[in-house]
Amino acid sequence: VRRWREDHAGMARPHRHAVDTNGGSGGKNDNICVCIRKRPLNDKERKKKEHDAVTVLHPTATVHSAKLRVDGIHKYLDHNSFRFDHSFDEDSSTEQVYQYTAQPLVSYVCGGRGVRATVFAYGQTGSGKTHTMSGIQKMVAEDIYSTLADNVFEDDSCCSCDNTTISIAIFEIYGGRIQDLLNKRNRLKVLEDGRGEVVISGLEEFEASTPEDFLALIEAGQNNRTTHATEANDESSRSHSICQVLFRDSTSRRLKAKLSLVDLAGSERGSDTKSHNRQRRTESSDINTSLLALKECIRAIDGDSRHVPYRQSKLTLILKDSFTSNYARTAMIATLAPGSLSTDHTVNTLRYADRIKEKKIGDSFTPSQRRSPVRQAKSPVRKEIVEEKVDMKEHRDEIDENISDNILYEDDNNVEEEIQELTKFEEPDNVESQGPSEFDQVVQQLFDEEEQLLSLHMQSIQQNAEYITEENKLLESVQGENVDVDAYALRLAEILQHKTEMIQAVRGRLEPFRELLR
């Protein structure tokens, strides 16, 4: 790890706002800003003799994971790199994170005109989400009132101290239930009115006329939030906390703008919930389901999709206007734990953040790398399909003339057949009005099946390596004196049974994938 950092020293780039990059980091007028923040090693990790396994050099974050080879004995170091709009290391302050993520959104919502802005904090349990969001909330409180005091607008739809009041509403989503954190944790209902707008029935709004009132309400809501001890954290947030800052007209109470500050519950892998009781496992399942739905909604915004799947969870349903409004802006802050025992969690967090943006970030270490190395490592099947789709879009009118420059043929006599195969997947001219094409759906399904297969296959290899090591020990024990043959036979039978189940699971995932390939 030290050698890798020495080789890449000095490659960090300065942070710049998206509007100054001319299509570089984040792009011009981008709806989505995705950034990551790495926290320092804590005392608990130092006591476990963990080392810092994450290197952040803006705009990239690299995870150094110690892996075992298939034989289960030899180790090697794997480097997984990802690239984002902004990457903040352990020396970066919350003020810096705020400056490039939430501060532009505060200025945006203070302009009024019915806009929506949302800031999410996402990451594994104990990675610093709540710490980051708490700091951002304090700076939001100061900036909102100072910005409104400086604003002078001729249009009444814009916000200023003279025509706008600030109201705060804080609630949590826990186990499918919605509870008002500023009103005795009263249960709330999510309804839709005749215009299709989502309304949270019974939610109390409290007016905040000063930054001090704003922060007092934030602290009161935080104290009422649901927390429980987990394997990774003694006081883990087990609910999604949503703080809505509402800009209303002082006279008519009409909503001019809304800023949502969302502190998401800590994500967990299924393997980390084995020792949980039934309630904790149910919580983890609900959390992961809502996080998956959130990712798909944010990707739909960034990809200008006509369909946003906000009904997949209560979290995304409540934030519907943040996803469906033409004036919605979003910032995602993914927090990382640097410990060497948390590298699997960290890679999962980075993959989640990396997949949120359909349009990849332009910054990179080298001009030839326009995507993160992990996103490049796709199967030949996926690469071929994507290249075919790009070919069609760029050369649709000249496919007969340019097809030889983009696709390799084994036989010139098969050119017409290949062109016919490609044109089967061409999108009609009115594809925007029809939503995702059949080709897009097939490709997305193929992507999902491949990722699930690769994940299961890797897990199978790791488990098999562990079994090989244990079998070697069994053989050594049975060849000595005072051998317990019954225990040897029983354990060997268990290992063989587990291997059989493991193979059947991989085979069960492989068959649907092969069907899609056909």
Side-chain angles (χ1 to χ4, degrees), residues 60 83 361-373 376:
T60 64
R83 187 166 51 257
I361 312 307
D363 283 342
S364 61
F365 282 154
T366 60
S368 62
Q369 294 177 334
R370 293 302 178 191
R371 295 175 183 264
S372 64
Q376 279 185 330

Side-chain angles (χ1 to χ4, degrees), residues 180-246:
D180 192 339
L181 297 182
L182 294 180
N183 188 21
K184 302 177 182 179
R185 298 177 62 86
N186 287 344
R187 294 280 294 274
L188 307 173
K189 292 183 179 180
V190 181
L191 306 173
E192 285 190 73
D193 61 16
R195 295 175 296 176
E197 296 183 1
V198 176
V199 178
I200 304 177
S201 176
L203 179 63
E204 291 285 341
E205 297 180 12
F206 294 85
E207 186 172 329
S209 56
T210 64
E212 290 73 21
D213 295 341
F214 188 109
L215 294 176
L217 291 171
I218 293 291
E219 184 177 358
Q222 184 63 32
N223 292 337
N224 291 328
R225 188 177 179 186
T226 301
T227 59
H228 291 297
T230 64
E231 290 185 2
N233 194 0
D234 294 335
E235 191 174 341
S236 174
S237 301
R238 306 303 292 168
S239 65
H240 302 305
S241 173
I242 302 174
C243 171
Q244 293 185 341
V245 184
L246 307 167

Side-chain angles (χ1 to χ4, degrees), residues 156 160-165 207 247-256:
D156 289 338
S160 68
C161 286
D162 298 331
N163 63 8
T164 305
T165 60
E207 186 172 329
F247 296 73
R248 293 192 179 277
D249 187 275
S250 300
T251 304
S252 65
R253 302 298 296 169
R254 177 178 58 87
L255 185 64
K256 291 184 171 183

Side-chain angles (χ1 to χ4, degrees), residues 51 105 110 246 308 311 436 506:
H51 66 270
L105 298 185
C110 285
L246 307 167
V308 181
R311 294 183 181 276
V506 175

